[in-house]
Amino acid sequence: MKVTRRGLLPALAAGLTPAQAQQTAAPCVVGVSQERARALAPVLARRKTQLDALRAVVIEDGIGPTPGLPRR
Amino acid sequence: MSEALCWLPVSELASLLKRRKLSPVELVQACLQQTERMNPKVKAFLTITAEQALDQARAAEREIRGGRYRGPLHGIPYAVKDLIATKGIRTTNGSKVTAQWVPDHESTVTTRLHAAGAILLGKLNLLEFAMGSGQKGLQGPARNPWDLAYSPSGSSSGSGAALAARMVPLTLGSDTGGSIRGPAKSCGVVGLKPTYGRVSLHGVTTLSWTLDHVGPMARSVADAAWMLQAIAGFDERDPYAAQEPVPDYSKPLKAPVRGLRVGVPKSYFFNKVHPDTNAALQAAMETLRKMGVVLVDVNIPQAPLYSTASAVILASESAAFHRTRLQQHAELLDPLVRERLEAGATHTAVDYIHALRLRTVLLRHISQVFEKVDILLLPAGNAAPRLEEEIVGTDLPPDPPPAPRPDTFNLANVTGIPSLVLPCGFTPSSPRLPLGIQFCGRHFEEATLLRLGHAYQLVTDWHNQKPPIAT
């Protein structure tokens, strides 16, 4: 069976534990089997650190007093 | 004489060839003999094109004898990382998936080297698709000639190892996050990642369209300059190739470096550098001072974000490029490559675009740094790790990874600025492993890097050291 949707519920449906699903946030890889999704869960959790760092970056958008890196 | 030829710099070989004191056939035979002796241990070559190389050497000999000398690379042997397409010659990408691929087209870089009269000796080992683990490899991993238990680093592992083992005087590597510069550092040779767009990527297997570069590796800065001269310039077959004119890279080699301003970051990049590496870097800086170079403290704003942006861009673009291979041949991939591609496919379009947007901000930051200095000096990483200590399979390090040092390579990939790594010392205890220093410059100012690197090599001897195994 292929997992084709993102989100917590599909992650649980794919066999991840609730903790894993919470940890990975978007653990359902399009076109990847349940078995692979399970194997990838810790990998995605580790990647999430990098993604969180990226998502924490605020770039000014020029339409208001947005604090953060100046836009270009 | 035959073995001694393998130790000569390209400038001397070129002079001998031009004056007909040396035959290209004799030189190719010497390199092939050294390769035959070294490759079973070092595993730098995946494919050796001996017959074709000897045919080309005989043709070069006829041309030179006939007064048709093409220039300083005429008759000089070279080899390329095996993700560079060579028409009619197997190009494996270091992968079982493409192990039997024989391209019907030629890359621009090899086309240009061929036009310059250089002679292809073969295709070099690499990490699978430039992103695999150090312990794998289509025919086993390349090994570091300074100690076979150690890694030559990747992903241009064979390109660094072949140079250090004196199999060939020039190689090409590719660099998406340090893959030219890491092996150059670990093998005690020179690696130049040119400015993005300076050298055509046509025929070079993609890892990340935004971060990929191809560039020269050599045993000296001067040799790398000669190779860059042959491969640089606009190419209509590469949509990202720059129209910027190509300067004469040999001229700056004779220019003085006194007064050059070299920026040394005050924080981040030198954090947690190994004491051996730090000692070598400090000694190199002292040498630069004595040469009249002005060292200036600089601040690189948001330094950790270069690797953040790189990680998301690389993962997203590589997942897109290899999408079909992942769907159809996942079982053939190195588990680490598979894992990285699958993980990359989970990134959202918003994350990817945000990373690209961050890149443009970082680009402006680094441009401001170069308003104050001519060159940025960075570590090039610590000494090579043991092969068995490199990441393998799905056994990734814990989060956060126990990184011995901050990333020092991605800055140049994310911003596209040129970057040169050259040897600056050795580990003081056994095994004796090379250490390197990194110079980064403004866009399209490779000449300034070459000028400083060459001047440094005129007063130091690190690049002339030879691994015991190769003698």
Side-chain angles (χ1 to χ4, degrees), chain B residues 105-394:
Chain B
H105 64 283
E106 189 79 21
S107 72
T108 296
V109 281
T110 48
T111 300
R112 288 181 176 173
L113 287 167
H114 185 73
I119 296 170
L120 180 72
L121 221 62
K123 309 295 292 290
L124 297 164
N125 209 342
L126 71 160
L127 306 190
E128 182 174 5
F129 289 119
M131 65 187 306
S133 66
Q135 295 181 32
K136 302 279 179 176
L138 201 57
Q139 295 170 20
R143 293 178 177 275
N144 193 321
W146 289 92
D147 189 314
L148 297 176
Y150 283 75
S151 166
S153 296
S155 63
S156 308
S157 49
S159 304
L163 288 168
R166 269 52 183 181
M167 298 184 203
V168 67
L170 295 172
T171 64
L172 283 177
S174 68
D175 191 319
T176 307
S179 285
I180 285 176
R181 292 162 290 161
K185 174 269 301 174
S186 291
C187 296
V189 299
V190 171
L192 174 63
K193 183 204 81 63
T195 305
Y196 187 77
R198 174 80 294 175
V199 179
S200 170
L201 286 163
H202 170 73
V204 180
T205 300
T206 300
L207 176 55
S208 161
W209 294 276
T210 304
L211 305 171
D212 285 347
H213 300 71
V214 62
M217 298 176 71
R219 290 196 293 262
S220 73
V221 172
D223 289 0
W226 289 33
M227 196 178 208
L228 178 65
Q229 194 76 59
I231 61 176
F234 178 69
D235 176 21
E236 61 186 13
R237 292 177 298 178
D238 177 356
Y240 304 111
Q243 299 261 11
E244 192 81 8
V246 179
D248 180 346
Y249 291 116
S250 66
K251 277 189 182 169
L253 300 183
K254 297 161 194 155
V257 296
R258 181 168 292 280
L260 265 183
R261 292 174 65 81
V262 174
V264 184
K266 286 182 290 186
S267 59
Y268 183 70
F269 293 100
F270 283 79
N271 294 351
K272 298 181 185 175
V273 167
H274 190 280
D276 292 347
T277 310
N278 196 45
L281 289 170
Q282 295 303 325
M285 283 188 246
E286 188 51 38
T287 302
L288 293 174
R289 273 194 204 96
K290 287 178 183 165
M291 291 160 59
V293 167
V294 181
L295 297 182
V296 182
D297 283 346
V298 293
N299 177 42
I300 310 291
Q302 310 289 343
L305 289 182
Y306 289 92
S307 62
T308 302
S310 166
V312 175
I313 294 168
L314 196 157
S316 304
E317 293 186 356
S318 59
F321 181 76
H322 288 293
R323 187 178 176 191
T324 307
R325 266 174 292 279
L326 181 61
Q327 286 169 347
Q328 296 178 355
H329 304 292
E331 301 302 326
L332 292 177
L333 293 167
D334 174 345
L336 185 64
V337 172
R338 179 180 180 178
E339 189 174 277
R340 286 178 172 169
L341 294 176
E342 288 172 339
T346 67
H347 291 169
T348 67
V350 174
D351 289 331
Y352 173 62
I353 292 166
H354 192 49
L356 288 176
R357 197 161 168 237
L358 173 59
R359 173 176 166 267
T360 64
V361 173
L362 297 173
L363 196 52
R364 191 174 55 183
H365 285 173
I366 210 68
S367 297
Q368 287 168 348
V369 171
F370 281 110
E371 287 172 8
K372 299 171 192 150
V373 296
D374 302 300
I375 282 176
L376 186 61
L377 186 156
L378 299 176
N382 292 323
R386 289 181 70 89
L387 262 173
E388 65 200 37
E389 287 168 6
E390 287 204 316
I391 295 169
V392 62
T394 58

Side-chain angles (χ1 to χ4, degrees), chain A residues 6 26 29 32 36 40 43-47 49-51 53-55 57 59-61 69-72, chain B residues 302 305 308 311-312 315 338-340 342-343 345-347 351 354-355 357-358 360-361 364 396-397 399:
Chain A
R6 293 176 180 279
V29 184
V32 170
R36 288 300 296 163
L40 278 173
V43 178
L44 295 176
R46 284 191 287 268
R47 294 270 174 142
T49 306
Q50 200 70 279
L51 274 175
L54 176 72
R55 289 167 182 164
V57 174
I59 301 172
E60 288 181 8
D61 58 19
L69 297 176
R71 72 187 167 127
R72 179 172 181 269
Chain B
Q302 310 289 343
L305 289 182
T308 302
V312 175
R338 179 180 180 178
E339 189 174 277
R340 286 178 172 169
E342 288 172 339
T346 67
H347 291 169
D351 289 331
H354 192 49
R357 197 161 168 237
L358 173 59
T360 64
V361 173
R364 191 174 55 183
L396 285 169
D399 182 26

Side-chain angles (χ1 to χ4, degrees), chain B residues 65-84:
Chain B
R65 272 192 194 155
R68 299 188 301 279
Y69 182 68
R70 298 194 202 182
L73 295 193
H74 201 172
I76 301 289
Y78 76 102
V80 301
K81 185 176 184 176
D82 202 20
L83 50 57
I84 296 173

